Amino acid sequence: MDSVLLFILGVAVIVVGLAVSIGLHEVGHLLPAKLFGVKVTQYMIGFGPTLWSKRKGETEYGIKAIPLGGYISMIGMFPPTAGHAARDASTGFFNQLVQEGEQTVKQGALATLADDARQASADTIGEGEEHRAFYQLAVWKRIIIMFGGPFMNLVIAVVLFAVLLMGFGTAQASTTVGSVSACVLPATATSQTCTANAEKAPGAAAGLTPGDRLVSIDGTVITSWNQSTDLIRNAPGTPLSVVVERDGTMQTLTITPKLTERYVTDASGKVVKNASGVAETSDVGFVGIGPASELVQQPASAVLPQVGENIGGVVHMIVNLPSRLVDVATAAFGPGERDPNGPISVVGVGRIAGEIVSIDTIPVASKIASMLGLLASLNIALFVFNLVPLMPLDGGHIAGALWDGLRRSYAKLFRRPKPSPVDMAKLMPLTFAVVIVLGGMSLLLIYADLVKPINIFG
């Protein structure tokens, strides 16, 4: 029962953290919009039916039922076309249907989407409020408003990574033995299970046990696990005097590394592969011990590189998203397993958070650190994804403003009349298609996370 409650707690932390992140994202839009005089009619967290709202001044603040996003409503998002006026409320419902029907026949369904967007935008502008419309702003002001949301997610991620790295630290190999192999097996052996007649591993034969801290090897003081690994690998068949600290006392053991086939690893501990993608091996000294991990606090200089690495990872995933989604679909509807480094929905993130919190063997500090890491990564994903230059994402509005600025600069350079604002409403058909694609992608990932979830614990 306790594990169920802890699982629910982990999910709740992610839900609340995501809601706060979304709320602050919208604040990033709201504050500059109000600063630049744009009329903001709504600030909402979530979609669907309104659960709670309160009007303060000209803005309604509220929470909606589906906490998977948020928005602010600014008047005049799209510029009207020449001769385009807001609907007269006295025309009546029937006349509107007739007019829209005529437009559909003359212009086609796609053009009607754009016209409806312009009309809806015009309807938000009250009498005497034209100067407060979003499209009337200078290009740089529009960019600041639309970039404000993603920027808030970036700030949140930097703060969370700073707390994670500088406060808790990152898991690194310590000089303490975490595991001791029972027997000697080549790295490429088809089975990694010890048989009854298997040769005992040198570490186990010498009496090493998990929890022993390596103090020195043949007189060399051990300050890192990689240092001990290098000494062992370079001494096959040579008896080594190993001093360990066990339960507060020093003990000296004699261990003779066994010459055996092991995988070649780089400085970060990853297995090196050749040009054909096959893992490289070499014959080196082997004792059969693995390190215990510990949290090591990092300097402030490590925060931004960590943020940059996460941004790069999200960008790489977005670039390869079509093939990644095919892999997800293949795994979800077939017998294959999910790629642990592949895309995941909020449902999957919540499940992982619940599992982390509910596992008794994970220390509390490590659980908190893991939750901070998940929330930081979510905010990096929100930052990068919202900057994709497609409507209705923030990046689409930014791209439109940049194009508007380029047109104006060109006209000014060649002394031509100032062009009218870019008609972003023309992109409504594309926006509609993007919304459908994003919705389908979300449904696929949610389904995959329910029927074939990613297992990070093996």
Side-chain angles (χ1 to χ4, degrees):
M1 185 62 179
D2 289 342
S3 61
V4 174
L5 294 176
L6 289 173
F7 184 91
I8 295 174
L9 175 63
V11 174
V13 169
I14 290 298
V15 170
V16 173
L18 181 59
V20 171
S21 299
I22 291 171
L24 291 175
H25 174 101
E26 299 306 328
V27 168
H29 293 310
L30 178 72
L31 293 181
K34 286 184 172 290
L35 177 65
F36 296 144
V38 179
K39 182 178 179 179
V40 182
T41 58
Q42 281 189 320
Y43 168 94
M44 291 289 172
I45 300 176
F47 299 106
T50 301
L51 300 179
W52 171 87
S53 70
K54 182 178 180 180
R55 180 168 295 277
K56 185 177 180 181
E58 61 188 15
T59 306
E60 178 189 10
Y61 301 85
I63 299 174
K64 290 185 174 287
I66 306 173
L68 295 179
Y71 64 92
I72 67 168
S73 295
M74 296 179 285
I75 68 170
M77 287 297 295
F78 303 118
T81 55
H84 189 89
R87 286 190 181 112
D88 186 344
S90 64
T91 57
F93 180 71
F94 178 76
N95 287 338
Q96 291 178 20
L97 288 179
V98 173
Q99 294 171 1
E100 291 175 357
E102 292 174 349
Q103 290 174 350
T104 301
V105 172
K106 295 178 181 179
Q107 302 173 347
L110 296 182
T112 302
L113 281 175
D115 191 65
D116 285 347
R118 295 189 199 97
Q119 186 64 68
S121 174
D123 289 346
T124 64
I125 304 174
E127 186 176 352
E129 295 179 340
E130 291 81 4
H131 66 288
R132 301 188 64 189
F134 175 78
Y135 76 86
Q136 295 276 28
L137 292 176
V139 170
W140 66 272
K141 291 183 178 180
R142 278 182 273 161
I143 292 175
I144 288 177
I145 290 174
M146 300 316 300
F147 183 70
F151 179 72
M152 280 294 255
N153 293 122
L154 178 61
V155 171
I156 295 170
V158 170
V159 171
L160 290 176
F161 274 124
V163 173
L164 175 62
L165 297 179
M166 299 169 61
F168 291 88
T170 57
Q172 296 183 3
S174 66
T175 57
T176 299
V177 177
S179 61
V180 179
S181 301
C183 63
V184 178
L185 290 172
T188 56
T190 55
S191 174
Q192 293 297 313
T193 303
C194 295
T195 60
N197 58 351
E199 181 183 359
K200 201 169 186 179
L208 273 175
T209 60
D212 289 346
R213 185 178 68 86
L214 299 178
V215 177
S216 67
I217 297 179
D218 254 15
T220 301
V221 177
I222 301 302
T223 58
S224 70
W225 187 265
N226 287 338
Q227 180 190 19
S228 67
T229 300
D230 290 340
L231 291 172
I232 292 171
R233 283 177 169 247
N234 293 328
T238 303
L240 300 176
S241 176
V242 180
V243 178
V244 300
E245 181 184 355
R246 180 183 300 171
D247 298 328
T249 62
M250 299 296 178
Q251 296 194 23
T252 301
L253 308 173
T254 300
I255 305 176
T256 303
K258 176 73 175 179
L259 183 65
T260 187
E261 183 184 35
R262 312 308 300 169
Y263 286 117
V264 177
T265 57
D266 58 20
S268 62
K270 295 182 179 179
V271 175
V272 176
K273 296 183 180 180
N274 59 25
S276 302
V278 179
E280 296 183 4
T281 61
S282 63
D283 292 333
V284 294
F286 170 76
V287 167
I289 56 176
S293 63
E294 61 181 356
L295 293 176
V296 180
Q297 291 182 340
Q298 302 297 307
S301 59
V303 176
L304 292 183
Q306 181 69 29
V307 172
E309 182 179 334
N310 274 259
I311 291 175
V314 176
V315 170
H316 182 267
M317 181 173 292
I318 291 176
V319 170
N320 296 280
L321 193 57
S323 62
R324 292 293 187 95
L325 290 177
V326 171
D327 294 339
V328 170
T330 302
F333 298 100
E337 293 297 324
R338 293 275 300 278
D339 179 2
N341 297 316
I344 186 172
S345 72
V346 175
V347 172
V349 174
R351 177 183 173 277
I352 291 174
E355 288 187 351
I356 291 173
V357 175
S358 63
I359 295 177
D360 295 333
T361 56
I362 299 179
V364 174
S366 295
K367 291 180 181 180
I368 296 175
S370 297
M371 301 300 280
L372 289 175
L374 284 174
L375 288 174
S377 297
L378 273 175
N379 275 277
I380 290 294
L382 288 173
F383 167 71
V384 176
F385 191 74
N386 274 286
L387 290 180
V388 174
L390 291 174
M391 295 281 284
L393 301 173
D394 298 330
H397 291 282
I398 293 173
L402 290 173
W403 175 243
D404 198 7
L406 183 63
R407 291 170 66 246
R408 293 185 183 188
S409 298
Y410 179 83
K412 184 177 181 180
L413 179 64
F414 292 95
R415 298 182 179 180
R416 296 183 177 181
K418 181 180 178 180
S420 58
V422 172
D423 186 9
M424 297 295 290
K426 291 181 179 179
L427 297 178
M428 286 308 296
L430 176 62
T431 302
F432 189 67
V434 171
V435 170
I436 292 176
V437 171
L438 292 179
M441 180 183 72
S442 298
L443 290 175
L444 171 62
L445 291 177
I446 290 173
Y447 175 79
D449 287 333
L450 290 174
V451 302
K452 191 71 69 68
I454 292 176
N455 188 358
I456 63 173
F457 299 105

